[in-house]
Amino acid sequence: MYQGNSAGGIMQLLIASLLLLGTRTCGQFWGPSSDKKVAFASWDEMNVIAHGLLQLGHGLKEHVDKTTIQLKAITGRLNHHNLSLVELFSNARDVRDSGHVLKGRIQDLKDRDRQLHDLTQLLRDKMQEVSKDQEHLDHRLQDIESKLKLLEPSKTETRSGMEDMRSIKSQMEIQNKRINELLEKIQLQQYKLDKQNLQIKNIQSKIPISRIDSQKTRLNLHKNVFTELKKNSSNNNVEKKDLPSDCQRVFLNGEKNSGIYRIKPANAQPFEVFCEMTAEGGWTVVQRRKDGSVDFDQLWEAYENGFGNLNGEFWLGLLKMHQIMEHEQYIMHVELQDWEQNIQHMEVHFHLGGPNTAYALQVHGPVTGQLKNALYEFRDQPFSTRDRDEDLKSHVNCAKLLSGGWWFSTCGQSNLNGKYFSSIPFNRHERKQGIFWKTWRGRYYPLKSSTIKICPLKLATTM
């Protein structure tokens, strides 16, 4: 604006100078003098005109330069806006592609949920069939008992009746074993459902709420079915008062071979355990890792009830361990092996709390064996899983950081339920998620195998 005013003033000055010069020239040319003389402008007038033209040139040049700068600024802004529009179009395309991927994942989750629902229904039907077979066997057993009471037994009849009873008892044991296998399958399905539920929670913010509600309704239905099946199975199991309460009692009953036996602790339902027999007595194995055939990255419910294969890798279950040790003092035996085939062990007196303490572990000592203790001493340490954080670090979930469930204190002492590696990983972060015992082979050495077994304190003192 200022430049335009300056240029206008210069133009006015120039026009005035020209008019003045023209007036003087005309007056001299057309004046009263009769002599016709040629008139010339004075030197001052020429200087005024030249100065005006020079100022006009400078003003026009400044105006052109300023206009050029403004045009460049406007061009730069337009280019920036063009880049912003291109980026917005690219982001919109990415969002649209992500939406298609999410839709595909949602459809996959629906298909898996439908398959799990069908499988759960099939398992429920099989449980009903097993229950009917159990009732039929119970009726046959009652009929035989009534016949034996009514008839005067002879040696032949007694022998025949005993054979029938043994046959029925064997069939009942087979049925109970089938029921336990079905329960393990149902627990596995429940774990898969829990994992799927976590996946659904991770994408809740990206899909409509109505779809999430539908998924939750189906998962709740599966959980209710599992609870009902478990309840029916527990009602169908016949409680046997003559079963031993642990592997030491199995040994005292005359069994000298290691293997799977059925026990019944006080105030608990019967269940199977793996007994490791020695010359002095029987040890109840509560954990075994040796080949990575079982995934130990499980949730709280799985660690509470147990999982795996008693002939291979397994976790007996916190509830069963507590039921075994509830009324007697026990010794824990930990045996570890590294990849150079070195084996070390330790034994320690300990106590395991119940569900109300999150199965807190308290090590009393003293510790014997080559291994140094890597468990939290002189304080109840609750058990932790990734869906139930009970460790001592308030801002870190050790189970999520390290994998598996364990009596974590500050994440760095031990974890015999970590990931199994068939060889030592190169990556340091992977190594810390493996099976480790800090006081032997260090924090970042994943061990080859581990076994945890328990026996009554009285037995251990005589060994």
Side-chain angles (χ1 to χ4, degrees), residues 239-306:
E239 185 173 342
K240 300 181 180 180
K241 296 183 179 180
D242 57 343
L243 287 175
S245 59
D246 64 2
C247 289
Q248 171 61 7
R249 274 70 182 182
V250 174
F251 177 83
L252 295 176
N253 288 345
E255 299 291 346
K256 307 302 180 184
N257 296 324
S258 299
I260 298 176
Y261 295 91
R262 195 166 181 79
I263 67 171
K264 182 190 176 303
N267 302 322
Q269 294 293 326
F271 54 87
E272 291 183 336
V273 296
F274 188 93
C275 296
E276 185 175 309
M277 302 301 185
T278 65
E280 294 82 9
W283 291 81
T284 305
V285 182
V286 298
Q287 188 253 32
R288 184 190 292 133
R289 307 291 302 279
K290 62 178 184 177
D291 55 16
S293 58
V294 175
D295 182 11
F296 272 66
D297 189 18
Q298 305 277 355
L299 301 176
W300 177 267
E301 186 174 356
Y303 270 101
E304 185 174 41
N305 298 320

Coordinates of all heavy atoms in Angstrom, one line a residue, residues 239-306:
E239 N -16.7 -91.3 45.6 CA -15.7 -91.0 46.5 C -15.2 -92.3 47.2 O -16.0 -93.0 47.8 CB -16.2 -90.0 47.6 CG -15.1 -89.6 48.5 CD -15.6 -88.5 49.4 OE1 -16.6 -87.8 49.1 OE2 -15.0 -88.3 50.5
K240 N -13.9 -92.6 47.1 CA -13.4 -93.8 47.7 C -12.6 -93.5 48.9 O -11.5 -92.8 48.8 CB -12.6 -94.6 46.7 CG -13.3 -94.9 45.5 CD -12.5 -95.7 44.5 CE -13.3 -96.1 43.2 NZ -12.4 -96.8 42.3
K241 N -13.0 -93.9 50.1 CA -12.3 -93.6 51.3 C -11.1 -94.3 51.6 O -10.2 -94.0 52.4 CB -13.3 -93.8 52.5 CG -14.5 -92.9 52.5 CD -15.4 -93.1 53.7 CE -16.6 -92.2 53.7 NZ -17.5 -92.4 54.8
D242 N -10.9 -95.4 50.8 CA -9.7 -96.2 51.1 C -8.5 -95.8 50.2 O -7.5 -96.5 50.2 CB -10.0 -97.7 50.8 CG -10.6 -98.0 49.4 OD1 -11.0 -97.0 48.8 OD2 -10.6 -99.1 49.0
L243 N -8.6 -94.8 49.4 CA -7.5 -94.3 48.5 C -6.5 -93.6 49.4 O -6.8 -92.9 50.3 CB -8.0 -93.4 47.4 CG -8.8 -94.0 46.3 CD1 -9.4 -92.9 45.4 CD2 -8.0 -95.0 45.5
P244 N -5.2 -93.8 49.0 CA -4.1 -93.1 49.8 C -4.2 -91.6 49.5 O -4.7 -91.1 48.5 CB -2.8 -93.7 49.2 CG -3.2 -94.2 47.9 CD -4.7 -94.7 47.9
S245 N -3.6 -90.9 50.5 CA -3.7 -89.4 50.4 C -2.5 -88.8 49.6 O -2.5 -87.6 49.2 CB -3.7 -88.8 51.8 OG -2.5 -89.2 52.5
D246 N -1.4 -89.5 49.4 CA -0.3 -89.1 48.6 C 0.6 -90.3 48.2 O 0.2 -91.4 48.5 CB 0.6 -88.0 49.4 CG 1.2 -88.6 50.7 OD1 1.1 -89.8 50.9 OD2 1.9 -87.9 51.4
C247 N 1.7 -90.0 47.5 CA 2.5 -91.1 47.0 C 3.2 -91.9 48.1 O 3.6 -93.0 47.9 CB 3.5 -90.6 46.0 SG 2.7 -90.0 44.4
Q248 N 3.5 -91.2 49.2 CA 4.1 -92.0 50.3 C 3.2 -93.0 50.9 O 3.6 -94.2 51.1 CB 4.5 -91.0 51.5 CG 4.9 -91.6 52.8 CD 6.2 -92.5 52.6 OE1 6.8 -92.5 51.5 NE2 6.6 -93.2 53.6
R249 N 1.9 -92.7 50.9 CA 0.9 -93.7 51.3 C 0.7 -94.8 50.3 O 0.5 -96.0 50.6 CB -0.5 -93.1 51.6 CG -0.6 -92.5 53.0 CD 0.2 -91.3 53.3 NE 0.2 -90.8 54.6 CZ 0.8 -89.7 55.0 NH1 1.6 -89.0 54.1 NH2 0.7 -89.3 56.2
V250 N 0.9 -94.4 49.0 CA 0.9 -95.4 48.0 C 2.0 -96.4 48.2 O 1.9 -97.6 48.0 CB 0.9 -94.8 46.6 CG1 1.1 -95.8 45.5 CG2 -0.3 -93.9 46.3
F251 N 3.2 -95.9 48.5 CA 4.4 -96.7 48.7 C 4.1 -97.6 49.9 O 4.5 -98.8 49.9 CB 5.6 -95.8 49.0 CG 6.8 -96.5 49.3 CD1 7.6 -97.1 48.3 CD2 7.2 -96.7 50.7 CE1 8.8 -97.7 48.7 CE2 8.4 -97.3 51.0 CZ 9.2 -97.9 50.0
L252 N 3.5 -97.1 51.0 CA 3.3 -97.9 52.2 C 2.2 -99.0 51.9 O 2.2 -100.0 52.6 CB 2.8 -97.0 53.3 CG 3.8 -96.0 53.8 CD1 3.2 -95.1 54.9 CD2 5.1 -96.7 54.4
N253 N 1.4 -98.8 50.9 CA 0.4 -99.8 50.5 C 1.0 -101.0 49.7 O 0.3 -101.9 49.3 CB -0.7 -99.2 49.7 CG -1.6 -98.4 50.6 OD1 -1.6 -98.5 51.8 ND2 -2.5 -97.5 50.0
G254 N 2.3 -100.9 49.4 CA 3.0 -101.9 48.7 C 3.4 -101.7 47.3 O 4.0 -102.5 46.7
E255 N 3.1 -100.5 46.8 CA 3.5 -100.2 45.4 C 4.9 -99.6 45.4 O 5.2 -98.7 46.0 CB 2.5 -99.1 44.8 CG 1.1 -99.5 44.8 CD 0.8 -100.6 43.7 OE1 1.7 -100.9 42.9 OE2 -0.3 -101.2 43.8
K256 N 5.8 -100.3 44.6 CA 7.2 -99.9 44.5 C 7.6 -99.4 43.2 O 8.8 -99.0 43.0 CB 8.0 -101.2 44.8 CG 7.7 -101.9 46.2 CD 7.8 -101.0 47.4 CE 7.4 -101.7 48.6 NZ 7.4 -100.8 49.8
N257 N 6.7 -99.4 42.2 CA 7.1 -98.9 40.8 C 6.6 -97.5 40.6 O 5.5 -97.2 41.0 CB 6.5 -99.8 39.8 CG 7.1 -101.3 39.9 OD1 8.2 -101.4 40.2 ND2 6.2 -102.2 39.6
S258 N 7.4 -96.7 40.0 CA 7.0 -95.3 39.6 C 6.0 -95.4 38.6 O 6.0 -96.2 37.7 CB 8.2 -94.5 39.2 OG 9.2 -94.4 40.2
G259 N 5.0 -94.4 38.6 CA 3.9 -94.4 37.6 C 2.8 -93.6 38.1 O 2.9 -92.8 39.1
I260 N 1.6 -93.7 37.4 CA 0.4 -92.9 37.7 C -0.4 -93.7 38.7 O -0.7 -94.9 38.5 CB -0.3 -92.6 36.4 CG1 0.5 -91.7 35.5 CG2 -1.6 -91.9 36.8 CD1 -0.1 -91.5 34.2
Y261 N -0.8 -93.0 39.8 CA -1.7 -93.6 40.8 C -2.8 -92.6 41.2 O -2.6 -91.4 41.0 CB -0.9 -94.0 42.1 CG 0.2 -95.1 41.8 CD1 1.5 -94.8 41.5 CD2 -0.2 -96.4 42.0 CE1 2.4 -95.7 41.3 CE2 0.8 -97.4 41.8 CZ 2.1 -97.1 41.4 OH 3.0 -98.1 41.2
R262 N -3.9 -93.2 41.7 CA -5.0 -92.4 42.1 C -5.0 -92.2 43.6 O -4.9 -93.2 44.4 CB -6.3 -93.1 41.7 CG -7.5 -92.2 41.7 CD -8.7 -92.9 41.0 NE -9.9 -92.1 41.0 CZ -10.1 -91.1 40.1 NH1 -9.2 -90.8 39.3 NH2 -11.2 -90.4 40.2
I263 N -5.1 -90.9 44.0 CA -5.0 -90.6 45.5 C -6.2 -89.8 45.8 O -7.0 -89.3 45.0 CB -3.7 -89.9 45.8 CG1 -3.7 -88.5 45.2 CG2 -2.5 -90.7 45.4 CD1 -2.6 -87.6 45.6
K264 N -6.5 -89.7 47.1 CA -7.6 -88.9 47.6 C -7.2 -88.2 49.0 O -7.3 -88.8 50.0 CB -8.8 -89.7 47.9 CG -10.0 -88.9 48.3 CD -11.2 -89.8 48.7 CE -12.3 -88.9 49.3 NZ -11.9 -88.0 50.4
P265 N -6.7 -86.9 48.9 CA -6.4 -86.2 50.1 C -7.7 -86.0 50.9 O -8.8 -86.1 50.4 CB -5.8 -84.9 49.6 CG -5.3 -85.2 48.2 CD -6.3 -86.2 47.7
A266 N -7.5 -85.7 52.2 CA -8.7 -85.4 53.1 C -9.5 -84.3 52.6 O -8.9 -83.2 52.1 CB -8.2 -85.1 54.5
N267 N -10.8 -84.4 52.6 CA -11.8 -83.4 52.2 C -11.6 -83.0 50.7 O -11.8 -81.8 50.4 CB -11.7 -82.2 53.1 CG -11.9 -82.5 54.5 OD1 -12.8 -83.4 54.9 ND2 -11.1 -81.9 55.4
A268 N -11.2 -83.9 49.9 CA -10.9 -83.6 48.4 C -11.4 -84.7 47.6 O -11.6 -85.9 48.0 CB -9.5 -83.3 48.2
Q269 N -11.7 -84.4 46.3 CA -12.1 -85.5 45.4 C -10.9 -86.2 44.9 O -9.8 -85.7 44.9 CB -12.8 -84.8 44.1 CG -14.1 -84.1 44.5 CD -15.2 -85.2 44.8 OE1 -15.2 -86.3 44.3 NE2 -16.1 -84.8 45.7
P270 N -11.0 -87.5 44.5 CA -9.9 -88.3 44.1 C -9.3 -87.7 42.8 O -10.1 -87.1 42.0 CB -10.5 -89.7 43.8 CG -11.7 -89.7 44.6 CD -12.3 -88.3 44.6
F271 N -8.0 -87.8 42.6 CA -7.4 -87.4 41.3 C -6.1 -88.2 41.1 O -5.6 -88.9 42.1 CB -7.1 -85.9 41.3 CG -6.3 -85.4 42.5 CD1 -4.9 -85.4 42.4 CD2 -6.9 -84.9 43.6 CE1 -4.1 -85.0 43.5 CE2 -6.2 -84.4 44.6 CZ -4.8 -84.4 44.6
E272 N -5.6 -88.2 39.9 CA -4.4 -89.0 39.6 C -3.1 -88.1 39.7 O -3.1 -86.9 39.4 CB -4.5 -89.5 38.2 CG -5.6 -90.6 38.0 CD -5.6 -91.2 36.6 OE1 -5.1 -90.5 35.7 OE2 -6.1 -92.3 36.4
V273 N -2.1 -88.8 40.1 CA -0.7 -88.1 40.3 C 0.3 -89.1 39.7 O 0.1 -90.3 39.6 CB -0.4 -87.8 41.7 CG1 -1.4 -86.7 42.2 CG2 -0.4 -89.0 42.6
F274 N 1.5 -88.5 39.4 CA 2.6 -89.4 39.1 C 3.5 -89.5 40.3 O 4.0 -88.5 40.9 CB 3.4 -88.7 37.9 CG 4.5 -89.6 37.4 CD1 4.2 -90.5 36.3 CD2 5.8 -89.7 38.0 CE1 5.2 -91.3 35.8 CE2 6.8 -90.5 37.5 CZ 6.5 -91.4 36.4
C275 N 3.7 -90.8 40.7 CA 4.5 -91.1 41.9 C 5.9 -91.6 41.5 O 6.0 -92.5 40.6 CB 3.9 -92.1 42.8 SG 2.3 -91.6 43.5
E276 N 6.9 -91.0 42.0 CA 8.3 -91.4 41.8 C 8.8 -92.2 43.0 O 9.0 -91.6 44.1 CB 9.2 -90.2 41.5 CG 10.6 -90.6 41.1 CD 11.5 -89.4 40.7 OE1 11.0 -88.6 39.9 OE2 12.6 -89.2 41.3
M277 N 8.9 -93.5 42.9 CA 9.2 -94.4 44.0 C 10.7 -94.5 44.1 O 11.5 -94.7 43.2 CB 8.6 -95.7 43.8 CG 7.1 -95.7 43.6 SD 6.3 -94.9 45.1 CE 4.5 -95.2 44.7
T278 N 11.2 -94.4 45.4 CA 12.6 -94.7 45.7 C 12.6 -95.9 46.7 O 11.6 -96.4 47.1 CB 13.3 -93.5 46.3 OG1 12.6 -93.2 47.6 CG2 13.1 -92.3 45.4
A279 N 13.8 -96.3 47.1 CA 13.9 -97.4 48.1 C 13.3 -97.0 49.5 O 12.9 -97.8 50.2 CB 15.4 -97.8 48.3
E280 N 13.3 -95.6 49.8 CA 12.8 -95.2 51.1 C 11.4 -94.8 51.1 O 10.7 -94.8 52.1 CB 13.7 -94.0 51.5 CG 15.1 -94.3 51.8 CD 16.0 -94.3 50.6 OE1 15.4 -93.9 49.5 OE2 17.1 -94.7 50.6
G281 N 10.8 -94.4 50.0 CA 9.4 -94.0 50.0 C 9.0 -93.4 48.6 O 9.7 -93.6 47.6
G282 N 7.8 -92.7 48.6 CA 7.3 -92.2 47.4 C 7.2 -90.7 47.4 O 6.8 -90.1 48.3
W283 N 7.6 -90.1 46.2 CA 7.5 -88.7 46.0 C 6.4 -88.4 45.1 O 6.2 -89.1 44.0 CB 8.8 -88.2 45.4 CG 10.0 -88.2 46.3 CD1 10.8 -89.3 46.6 CD2 10.6 -87.1 47.1 NE1 11.8 -89.0 47.5 CE2 11.7 -87.6 47.8 CE3 10.2 -85.8 47.2 CZ2 12.4 -86.8 48.6 CZ3 11.0 -85.0 48.0 CH2 12.1 -85.5 48.7
T284 N 5.6 -87.3 45.4 CA 4.5 -86.8 44.5 C 5.1 -85.8 43.6 O 5.5 -84.7 44.0 CB 3.4 -86.3 45.3 OG1 2.9 -87.2 46.2 CG2 2.2 -85.9 44.4
V285 N 5.1 -86.0 42.3 CA 5.7 -85.1 41.3 C 4.6 -84.0 41.0 O 3.5 -84.4 40.6 CB 6.1 -85.8 40.0 CG1 6.8 -84.8 39.0 CG2 7.2 -86.9 40.3
V286 N 5.0 -82.7 41.1 CA 4.0 -81.7 40.9 C 4.3 -80.8 39.7 O 3.5 -80.1 39.2 CB 3.9 -80.7 42.1 CG1 3.4 -81.5 43.4 CG2 5.3 -80.1 42.4
Q287 N 5.5 -81.0 39.1 CA 5.9 -80.3 37.9 C 7.0 -81.0 37.2 O 7.9 -81.6 37.8 CB 6.3 -78.8 38.2 CG 6.6 -78.0 37.0 CD 8.1 -77.7 36.7 OE1 8.9 -78.6 36.9 NE2 8.4 -76.6 36.1
R288 N 6.9 -81.1 35.8 CA 8.0 -81.7 35.0 C 8.1 -80.9 33.7 O 7.1 -80.7 33.0 CB 7.7 -83.2 34.8 CG 8.9 -83.8 34.0 CD 8.5 -85.2 33.6 NE 8.3 -86.2 34.7 CZ 7.3 -87.0 34.8 NH1 6.4 -87.0 33.9 NH2 7.2 -87.8 35.8
R289 N 9.3 -80.5 33.3 CA 9.6 -79.9 32.0 C 10.8 -80.7 31.4 O 11.8 -80.9 32.1 CB 10.0 -78.5 32.2 CG 9.1 -77.6 33.0 CD 7.8 -77.3 32.3 NE 7.9 -76.7 31.0 CZ 8.1 -75.4 30.8 NH1 8.2 -74.6 31.8 NH2 8.2 -74.9 29.5
K290 N 10.6 -81.1 30.2 CA 11.7 -81.9 29.6 C 11.8 -81.8 28.0 O 12.9 -82.0 27.5 CB 11.6 -83.4 29.9 CG 10.3 -84.0 29.4 CD 10.3 -85.5 29.7 CE 9.1 -86.2 29.2 NZ 9.1 -87.7 29.5
D291 N 10.7 -81.4 27.3 CA 10.8 -81.4 25.9 C 10.0 -80.3 25.2 O 10.0 -80.2 24.0 CB 10.4 -82.7 25.3 CG 9.0 -83.1 25.8 OD1 8.2 -82.3 26.3 OD2 8.6 -84.3 25.7
G292 N 9.3 -79.5 26.0 CA 8.5 -78.4 25.4 C 7.2 -78.8 24.7 O 6.6 -78.1 23.9
S293 N 6.7 -80.0 25.0 CA 5.5 -80.5 24.4 C 4.2 -79.9 24.9 O 3.2 -80.0 24.3 CB 5.4 -82.1 24.6 OG 5.4 -82.4 26.0
V294 N 4.3 -79.2 26.1 CA 3.2 -78.6 26.7 C 3.4 -77.1 26.8 O 4.5 -76.7 27.2 CB 2.8 -79.2 28.1 CG1 1.7 -78.4 28.7 CG2 2.5 -80.6 27.9
D295 N 2.5 -76.2 26.5 CA 2.6 -74.8 26.6 C 2.3 -74.4 28.0 O 1.2 -74.6 28.5 CB 1.6 -74.1 25.6 CG 1.7 -72.6 25.7 OD1 2.7 -72.1 26.3 OD2 0.8 -71.9 25.1
F296 N 3.3 -73.8 28.7 CA 3.1 -73.4 30.1 C 2.7 -71.9 30.3 O 2.6 -71.4 31.4 CB 4.4 -73.7 30.9 CG 4.5 -75.1 31.5 CD1 4.6 -76.2 30.7 CD2 4.5 -75.3 32.8 CE1 4.6 -77.4 31.2 CE2 4.5 -76.5 33.4 CZ 4.6 -77.6 32.5
D297 N 2.5 -71.3 29.1 CA 2.0 -69.9 29.2 C 0.5 -69.9 29.4 O -0.3 -69.6 28.4 CB 2.4 -69.1 27.9 CG 2.1 -67.6 28.1 OD1 2.0 -67.1 29.2 OD2 2.1 -66.9 27.0
Q298 N 0.0 -70.3 30.6 CA -1.4 -70.5 30.9 C -1.9 -69.4 31.8 O -1.2 -68.6 32.4 CB -1.6 -71.9 31.5 CG -1.0 -73.0 30.7 CD -2.0 -73.5 29.6 OE1 -3.1 -73.0 29.5 NE2 -1.5 -74.5 28.8
L299 N -3.3 -69.4 31.9 CA -3.9 -68.4 32.8 C -4.1 -69.0 34.2 O -3.8 -70.1 34.4 CB -5.3 -68.0 32.2 CG -5.2 -67.4 30.8 CD1 -6.6 -67.1 30.3 CD2 -4.4 -66.1 30.8
W300 N -4.6 -68.1 35.1 CA -4.8 -68.5 36.5 C -5.6 -69.8 36.7 O -5.2 -70.7 37.4 CB -5.4 -67.4 37.3 CG -5.6 -67.7 38.7 CD1 -6.8 -68.2 39.3 CD2 -4.7 -67.5 39.8 NE1 -6.6 -68.4 40.6 CE2 -5.3 -68.0 40.9 CE3 -3.4 -67.1 39.8 CZ2 -4.7 -68.0 42.2 CZ3 -2.7 -67.1 41.0 CH2 -3.4 -67.5 42.2
E301 N -6.7 -70.0 36.0 CA -7.5 -71.1 36.2 C -6.8 -72.4 35.8 O -6.9 -73.4 36.5 CB -8.8 -71.0 35.4 CG -9.8 -72.1 35.6 CD -11.1 -71.9 34.9 OE1 -11.3 -70.8 34.2 OE2 -12.0 -72.7 35.0
A302 N -6.0 -72.4 34.8 CA -5.3 -73.6 34.4 C -4.2 -73.9 35.4 O -4.0 -75.1 35.8 CB -4.6 -73.3 33.0
Y303 N -3.5 -72.9 35.9 CA -2.5 -73.2 37.0 C -3.1 -73.6 38.3 O -2.5 -74.4 39.0 CB -1.6 -72.0 37.2 CG -0.4 -71.9 36.3 CD1 -0.4 -71.1 35.2 CD2 0.7 -72.7 36.5 CE1 0.7 -71.1 34.3 CE2 1.8 -72.7 35.7 CZ 1.8 -71.9 34.6 OH 2.9 -71.9 33.8
E304 N -4.3 -73.2 38.5 CA -5.0 -73.7 39.8 C -5.5 -75.1 39.7 O -5.3 -75.9 40.6 CB -6.2 -72.7 40.1 CG -6.9 -73.1 41.4 CD -8.0 -72.1 41.7 OE1 -8.7 -71.7 40.8 OE2 -8.1 -71.7 42.9
N305 N -6.0 -75.5 38.5 CA -6.6 -76.9 38.4 C -5.6 -77.9 37.8 O -5.8 -79.1 37.9 CB -7.8 -76.8 37.5 CG -8.9 -76.0 38.1 OD1 -9.1 -76.0 39.3 ND2 -9.6 -75.2 37.3
G306 N -4.5 -77.4 37.1 CA -3.5 -78.3 36.6 C -3.7 -78.5 35.1 O -4.8 -78.3 34.5

